[in-house]
Amino acid sequence: MKTMRKMIWVLVFFVNASLATAQQRQKGFYKDLFMDSGMMLTSRVDLWAARLADFTIESFVSTPHSYTDKFAFTDADTLLQSQLIGGSALDENGILLYPDGAPRFRAVYMNGGRAKAHGTSLGEQGRANYRTFVANGGGYVGSCAGAFIASLGTKLPDKEAAPNDMYLGIWPGYTTGTGLEKSWTDVVIEPNSPLLRYYRFGGRMAIDSVRHNGGCYGNMTFLCPVGTEVLARYSTPGGEPKRPIIGEPVVWAYKASEQAGRIVLCGSHPEDAVEGPRLELTAAMLKYVMDGVGKPTVKGELKNGEERRMTCYTHDKRPAYTRIGDKQYHHFTVEVPEGTDTLKITLKPTEGLGHFDLYLFADSRQLAFKDEAEHCDLHPGIGKLLTIVRPKAGTLYVSVFCDTTVEARQTRYGTQYSGRLDVLNGVPYAIRVDF
């Protein structure tokens, strides 16, 4: 009976309902943080650093793994993880992504555990969705196994580099295992580390006794990707590591482009802390990632008198014409000629699919967002009409926002999605401009 109950499509979901600052919370994401506590990872159900940073958080938490039995999971764990990360008929693109491949969460946090085993359990589609998530702007924080799996593979000082196909490769470098288990290390923050933007860590540049259990460091001598930042280094270890680690990077960051999300990796376990500088270290890593999400993209330019149909599904692989997801923005531009008297923007539903709430915005200064746009139509439903008299010549930014989302109900296994599940595969609409 327990297994059958867990086979319900659920998410373990923990949310702090208080508001974050505008700087902390960019618009156009369903939630702030998704925590992967899946198969062969620590089955963590809460993250204190997310509470400190005031981020909303959802998680998938599997049955706790066993070091004596690597396969101590139920069929429900495999099914749930596959559906949530890899996708299903209910949510083709998976929980991390919107229908067009844009990140649905601002960032992901991946727990420690067994990196290769978790990568294997994600399957090819799950690993691909993680890579798409980061490439399209979502941030990533990983500790211990979460750092290993983000790399291309491992490189020991006396051995050849070992690429790992089960890893994500979102940081195109190699990690080196410390060989230090069930111990701790001191951490020294780099003098110009961006982590110091957020906390002072008790007024010291060192953080004592960060838990360490088979973690790693970023190998910067074999292959250091351009753009990698070292944020903190190992100081005194609590035990005897298999190889020297003092001075090696314990926390490092990487961002491939303006469009990609920022990655922050940590070889130790500060995420266990519930107070003090270790808690602040995890929160600072989360904040630095959140501040490095990719820039919003523009779907395309709307042409006078031409209707643009946003009706494709994920599998059509046409993101510029794909349906909109829950709490997502679609951005467009219009080039307004000099002397335009009146400009009209029309939003229309697909026949029989008008029972969603889409909002329409326009702004001559910048990308148009709710509460900031010069022009808006917030009426219920999809059908909208914005009329702008004597619009400013030049680029006009137009956006569509989907206010319809799923309902979340807490159960003993977490929060189950219900209500508007049909929004997960996206809402179709047509948009047109006339002047």
Side-chain angles (χ1 to χ4, degrees):
M1 177 63 71
K2 182 176 180 180
T3 298
M4 291 300 293
R5 288 176 180 173
K6 284 194 73 179
M7 290 182 71
I8 301 172
W9 194 77
V10 298
L11 303 172
V12 179
F13 168 60
F14 297 87
V15 57
N16 187 329
S18 59
L19 295 177
T21 66
Q23 186 237 357
Q24 288 178 317
R25 186 158 307 186
Q26 293 97 334
K27 303 184 183 216
F29 298 94
Y30 165 69
K31 291 268 176 27
D32 292 323
L33 187 67
F34 177 83
M35 181 167 66
D36 191 341
S37 302
M39 298 173 68
M40 299 308 297
L41 298 179
T42 300
S43 298
R44 188 181 312 281
V45 298
D46 203 354
L47 189 63
W48 285 90
R51 292 174 177 262
L52 178 64
D54 205 13
F55 295 140
T56 54
I57 177 172
E58 284 189 3
S59 308
F60 168 62
V61 183
S62 74
T63 301
H65 76 274
S66 167
Y67 285 97
T68 58
D69 180 4
K70 295 182 181 180
F71 305 100
F73 297 102
T74 66
D75 290 341
D77 291 303
T78 302
L79 176 62
L80 286 169
Q81 184 171 278
S82 175
Q83 288 180 331
L84 294 176
I85 306 299
S88 65
L90 183 64
D91 184 8
E92 181 185 357
N93 34 271
I95 192 172
L96 298 181
L97 302 175
Y98 280 126
D100 60 359
R104 189 165 173 259
F105 295 83
R106 292 172 62 197
V108 166
Y109 169 71
M110 186 175 288
N111 277 285
R114 294 181 180 268
K116 182 178 179 180
H118 183 60
T120 301
S121 74
L122 286 173
E124 184 176 353
Q125 188 59 54
R127 294 190 298 273
N129 283 357
Y130 258 110
R131 294 175 187 126
T132 299
F133 177 85
V134 173
N136 288 350
Y140 177 97
V141 181
S143 56
C144 198
F148 275 113
I149 197 174
S151 70
L152 294 175
T154 56
K155 174 65 174 72
L156 299 182
D158 55 345
K159 294 184 179 180
E160 296 290 327
N164 196 317
D165 291 341
M166 299 301 106
Y167 284 9
L168 303 177
I170 52 178
W171 177 60
Y174 285 82
T175 48
T176 299
T178 65
L180 180 65
E181 298 185 3
K182 298 180 180 179
S183 186
W184 54 268
T185 67
D186 292 346
V187 170
V188 177
I189 306 297
E190 287 285 274
N192 295 319
S193 174
L195 300 179
L196 295 170
R197 300 173 189 171
Y198 309 104
Y199 300 99
R200 303 310 299 178
F201 307 110
R204 302 174 58 210
M205 296 297 288
I207 300 173
D208 297 333
S209 305
V210 178
R211 188 173 75 85
H212 192 92
N213 188 24
C216 62
Y217 61 82
N219 193 315
M220 304 299 170
T221 58
F222 171 68
L223 174 64
C224 181
V226 175
T228 299
E229 305 173 272
V230 176
L231 309 185
R233 298 182 186 272
Y234 287 106
S235 182
T236 308
E240 291 296 329
K242 290 183 178 179
R243 52 195 58 88
I245 66 171
I246 294 177
E248 297 289 358
V250 59
V251 184
W252 65 103
Y254 174 76
K255 184 173 167 65
S257 66
E258 288 189 346
Q259 287 70 41
R262 177 175 288 131
I263 299 162
V264 172
L265 307 179
C266 179
S268 292
H269 288 285
E271 74 279 0
D272 291 337
V274 298
E275 63 180 358
R278 284 167 290 175
L279 173 65
E280 292 175 346
L281 176 59
T282 308
M285 292 191 297
L286 291 175
K287 288 187 175 185
Y288 189 45
V289 162
M290 296 291 184
D291 285 343
V293 297
K295 290 187 176 181
T297 59
V298 174
K299 293 293 183 183
E301 182 183 341
L302 302 176
K303 302 293 186 179
N304 183 29
E306 297 181 8
E307 183 177 82
R308 186 185 182 102
R309 297 182 58 79
M310 306 295 293
T311 58
C312 292
Y313 288 97
T314 300
H315 62 257
D316 294 318
K317 300 185 184 304
R318 299 186 69 199
Y321 296 90
T322 295
R323 300 169 174 220
I324 193 170
D326 54 337
K327 300 298 179 179
Q328 184 183 19
Y329 282 90
H330 279 180
H331 298 284
F332 306 91
T333 60
V334 178
E335 293 304 317
V336 183
E338 288 279 0
T340 300
D341 182 64
T342 302
L343 183 145
K344 295 183 178 181
I345 309 168
T346 306
L347 204 63
K348 296 194 302 186
T350 298
E351 186 175 356
L353 294 175
H355 54 297
F356 298 90
D357 289 329
L358 301 188
Y359 300 152
L360 182 61
F361 305 98
D363 198 302
S364 63
R365 306 160 300 175
Q366 59 194 357
L367 293 180
F369 290 99
K370 186 179 179 182
D371 300 329
E372 299 173 358
E374 295 172 319
H375 310 278
C376 65
D377 188 336
L378 303 174
H379 288 94
I382 292 181
K384 300 288 182 296
L385 174 63
L386 272 183
T387 301
I388 305 174
V389 179
R390 290 185 292 279
K392 182 180 177 181
T395 301
L396 178 70
Y397 298 94
V398 176
S399 69
V400 179
F401 175 74
C402 179
D403 194 52
T404 301
T405 189
V406 294
E407 296 177 6
R409 182 176 64 86
Q410 192 70 19
T411 73
R412 62 178 295 186
Y413 298 111
T415 298
Q416 179 181 349
Y417 277 179
S418 62
R420 300 305 305 273
L421 300 178
D422 50 350
V423 76
L424 295 173
N425 277 331
V427 179
Y429 66 91
I431 186 168
R432 173 174 171 145
V433 60
D434 292 278
F435 51 81

